[in-house]
Amino acid sequence: MQKLILSLAVVATLPIFWSAPGAAADRQNGRAMYETYCVGCHGEAGNSIDPTIPNFANGDRLFQMDSQLLESIRSGNQTMPAFRGLLSDREIRDVISYLRTL
Ligand code: HEC
């Protein structure tokens, strides 16, 4: 009986950790994505390679909400490539959490 109560308690609390939108972004994974897809333009440590490219080390564009940045990264703009289809929303959110540490 005790085992049953214990396992019910575990099952009841698991969704708290699994709730996808509330789950914390994985910054380490974001870093890996950044180094694969973004570093060529936005630069190591966020120091962009060209003045026309936002410099995340200076906080360029990072005043925007995550949802806005997510949309921009999905869609691209001018020479900024669109990442829709290449990166999942989950991966983009991971990258955004990494951008905020640069
Ligand atoms: C080919 C070069 C290039 C690559 C690769 C690139 N970017 Fe960009 N990025 C740009 C340029 C240029 C802009 C400025 C576009 C503009 O004026 O909005 C930009 C803008 C942005 C912005 C600001 C968008 C806004 O709404 O203000 C974000 C955030 C961003 N990039 C993130 C990323 C991430 C994350 C990656 C990798 C997954 C990436 N970029 C890869 C060139 C690049």
Side-chain angles (χ1 to χ4, degrees):
M1 188 61 185
Q2 263 180 337
K3 262 190 186 162
L4 178 66
I5 291 169
L6 189 67
S7 49
L8 282 176
V10 168
V11 170
T13 44
L14 279 177
I16 297 169
F17 302 107
W18 278 344
S19 55
D26 181 346
R27 201 167 291 160
Q28 274 309 108
N29 186 46
R31 182 189 185 139
M33 296 290 129
Y34 184 86
E35 284 171 357
T36 307
Y37 298 107
C38 324
V39 78
C41 292
H42 291 285
E44 198 73 49
N47 295 297
S48 67
I49 58 158
D50 181 292
T52 63
I53 302 174
N55 184 318
F56 299 131
N58 290 345
D60 286 357
R61 313 290 182 96
L62 296 181
F63 57 88
Q64 298 176 84
M65 291 189 309
D66 284 9
S67 56
Q68 293 173 298
L69 295 175
L70 177 85
E71 197 43 50
S72 300
I73 296 166
R74 268 189 194 146
S75 317
N77 186 14
Q78 301 168 47
T79 46
M80 164 75 191
F83 284 93
R84 183 185 281 116
L86 189 60
L87 297 180
S88 68
D89 285 2
R90 172 87 238 186
E91 290 170 318
I92 295 175
R93 285 188 187 280
D94 292 349
V95 177
I96 293 169
S97 80
Y98 179 66
L99 296 184
R100 296 202 184 282
T101 69
L102 292 172

